[in-house]
């Protein structure tokens, strides 16, 4: 077995994720503040408001991630402006990002926190997309892992062995929720398919609503971001109502390793090999790895609108925040 309920419940308290992310936020802002470009920037936002657009609902991991940076950015940006967070939910982040692209002024007084869904919606050419991320100006990125879990009473009752539980999900296809087919959920749906899990998927359900649906028994399995793990997932594990199945993993120095936030939980490539007796390979691996790179390694990005003058984007840090900073 990969780990027991008792071990998981004790090792990962509800605030562990926020504490780790706070360390990452502090590290990122340290690089911003220390940047020579910032010191040279001819900017002063004193007494002004800067809007942070979050194109997701208030209950998701992207919202948590973006809000972690608010206080630090207020203290770091020239003139210490007030940063106002505005959530615009809809379409797997399309609604808010479209609005940002159309209305945000390129004067350094607005930025957006996008996630992997925002990226994939454009890559997969969702007809609702009216933005071009290639024109936006990124200034901070951090990876964001994903975890899969299921109700403990699913398929006659789950055990403490993730591999045995996944085999039950293969034999008893669960009902799950998803945002849209072009959102970051596509990487998770592919992972299920590769494992042989053929769920009934109900599209058009946001993360917060799907969590509530799982607790009510409407859905038997779901995936979530590690940014939401401490508040949304760990309590269910600790009370015994959910079992952790696998994570998407995390790439470190070119190697796939377990997600450092839940090191007792196997990652996708581990469970695939355990079930089929050989590693994932070929075109299947190539496609999976591409979606992994977008969903996990480029999970969250803060960006300025297209056309923002160089002097307004000089606080750009020169180092990407990685989850290794969170340890």
């Amino acid at each position: 077995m990969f780990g027991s309920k008792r071990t998981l419940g004790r090792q990962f308290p509800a605030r562990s994720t926020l504490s780790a992310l706070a360390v990452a936020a502090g590290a990122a802002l340290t690089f911003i503040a220390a940047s020579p470009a910032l010191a040279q920037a001819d900017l002063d936002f004193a007494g002004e408001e800067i809007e942070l657009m979050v194109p997701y609902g208030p209950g998701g991991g992207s919202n948590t991630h973006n809000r972690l940076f608010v206080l630090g950015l207020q203290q770091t940006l020239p003139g210490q402006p007030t940063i106002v967070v505005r959530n615009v939910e809809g379409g797997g982040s399309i609604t808010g990002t479209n609005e940002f692209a159309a209305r945000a002024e390129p004067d350094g007084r607005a930025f957006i926190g996008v996630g992997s869904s925002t990226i994939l919606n454009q890559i997969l050419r969702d007809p609702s997309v009216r933005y071009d991320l290639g024109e936006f100006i990124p200034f901070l990125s951090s990876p964001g892992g994903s975890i899969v879990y299921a109700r403990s009473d699913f398929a006659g009752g789950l055990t403490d062995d993730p591999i045995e539980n996944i085999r039950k999900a293969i034999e008893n296809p669960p009902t799950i929720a998803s945002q849209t087919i072009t959102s970051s959920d596509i990487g998770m749906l592919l992972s299920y398919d590769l494992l042989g899990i053929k769920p009934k998927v109900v599209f058009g359900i946001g993360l917060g609503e799907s969590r509530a649906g799982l607790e009510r028994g409407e859905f038997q399995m779901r995936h979530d971001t590690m940014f939401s793990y401490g508040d949304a997932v760990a309590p269910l594990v600790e009370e015994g109502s959910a079992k952790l199945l696998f994570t998407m993993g995390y790439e470190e120095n070119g190697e796939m390793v377990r997600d450092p936030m839940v090191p007792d939980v196997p990652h996708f490539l581990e469970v695939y090999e355990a079930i089929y007796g050989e590693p994932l390979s070929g075109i299947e691996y190539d496609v999976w790895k591409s979606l992994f790179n977008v969903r996990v390694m480029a999970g969250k990005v803060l960006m300025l609108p297209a056309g923002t003058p160089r002097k307004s984007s000089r606080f750009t840090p020169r180092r990407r925040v990685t989850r290794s900073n969170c340890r």
Side-chain angles (χ1 to χ4, degrees), residues 62-76:
S62 290
N63 182 70
T64 300
H65 172 268
N66 287 313
R67 288 176 182 271
L68 279 172
F69 292 96
V70 168
L71 181 59
L73 284 170
Q74 287 180 153
Q75 297 173 344
T76 301

Side-chain angles (χ1 to χ4, degrees), residues 16-26 64-65 68 226-227 261 326:
S16 63
T17 304
L18 287 179
S19 298
L21 291 173
V23 172
T64 300
H65 172 268
L68 279 172
M226 292 309 300
F227 295 109
M261 290 188 180
C326 304

Side-chain angles (χ1 to χ4, degrees), residues 111-299:
F111 63 104
I112 187 171
V114 307
S116 50
S117 288
T118 322
I119 300 169
L120 284 167
N121 286 329
Q122 180 175 341
I123 292 175
L124 298 177
R125 300 183 181 181
D126 188 295
S128 300
V129 168
R130 300 289 183 270
Y131 57 81
D132 183 355
L133 293 178
E135 295 181 353
F136 291 3
I137 302 171
F139 66 89
L140 188 149
S141 71
S142 52
S146 297
I147 191 160
V148 178
Y149 58 101
R151 289 179 58 93
S152 296
D153 59 5
F154 171 56
L158 301 184
T159 71
D160 290 329
D161 184 351
I163 302 302
E164 181 180 340
N165 293 336
I166 291 168
R167 288 197 172 103
K168 286 191 173 186
I170 294 172
E171 296 168 0
N172 304 272
T175 299
I176 68 171
S178 179
Q179 299 176 79
T180 69
I181 191 62
T182 60
S183 72
S184 62
D185 287 349
I186 190 173
M188 305 307 300
L189 297 177
L190 174 63
S191 298
Y192 300 150
D193 187 72
L194 290 171
L195 288 174
I197 301 173
K198 308 296 183 183
K200 176 183 177 182
V201 184
V202 181
F203 288 103
I205 307 294
L207 289 177
E209 187 179 351
S210 65
R211 289 190 196 106
L214 181 118
E215 294 185 44
R216 292 192 298 265
E218 297 165 5
F219 307 117
Q220 294 80 52
M221 187 179 78
R222 75 180 305 275
H223 48 266
D224 214 326
T225 68
M226 292 309 300
F227 295 109
S228 299
Y229 178 80
D231 292 332
V233 184
L236 300 179
V237 176
E238 291 165 2
E239 70 184 27
S241 61
K243 297 288 186 180
L244 303 180
L245 302 184
F246 65 92
T247 72
M248 289 292 275
Y250 177 65
E251 189 170 23
E252 188 173 71
N253 299 322
E255 295 185 5
M256 192 67 66
V257 299
R258 293 186 175 186
D259 193 298
M261 290 188 180
V262 283
D264 285 348
V265 181
H267 58 68
F268 167 79
L269 293 179
E270 283 184 89
V271 299
Y272 180 92
E273 186 168 357
I275 289 173
Y276 291 105
E278 60 183 11
L280 182 66
S281 61
I283 186 65
E284 291 85 358
Y285 173 81
D286 292 341
V287 174
W288 180 87
K289 183 59 164 53
S290 295
L291 292 173
F292 164 87
N293 288 340
V294 174
R295 181 178 175 93
V296 175
M297 301 311 293

Side-chain angles (χ1 to χ4, degrees), residues 6-74:
R6 180 179 61 81
T7 301
L8 292 173
R10 185 178 65 232
Q11 192 166 359
F12 308 113
R15 294 190 62 82
S16 63
T17 304
L18 287 179
S19 298
L21 291 173
V23 172
L29 294 168
T30 297
F31 290 117
I32 294 173
S35 170
L38 173 61
Q40 298 168 5
D42 184 20
L43 293 172
D44 186 1
F45 294 119
E48 299 196 44
E49 287 189 352
I50 292 179
E51 181 177 283
L52 165 56
M53 163 79 78
V54 179
Y56 300 90
S62 290
N63 182 70
T64 300
H65 172 268
N66 287 313
R67 288 176 182 271
L68 279 172
F69 292 96
V70 168
L71 181 59
L73 284 170
Q74 287 180 153

Side-chain angles (χ1 to χ4, degrees), residues 59-107:
S62 290
N63 182 70
T64 300
H65 172 268
N66 287 313
R67 288 176 182 271
L68 279 172
F69 292 96
V70 168
L71 181 59
L73 284 170
Q74 287 180 153
Q75 297 173 344
T76 301
L77 293 175
Q80 299 186 338
T82 298
I83 296 180
V84 178
V85 179
R86 188 162 69 94
N87 294 85
V88 179
E89 187 176 9
S93 82
I94 293 176
T95 302
T97 310
N98 281 347
E99 179 181 324
F100 181 83
R103 299 183 181 180
E105 295 293 333
D107 56 8

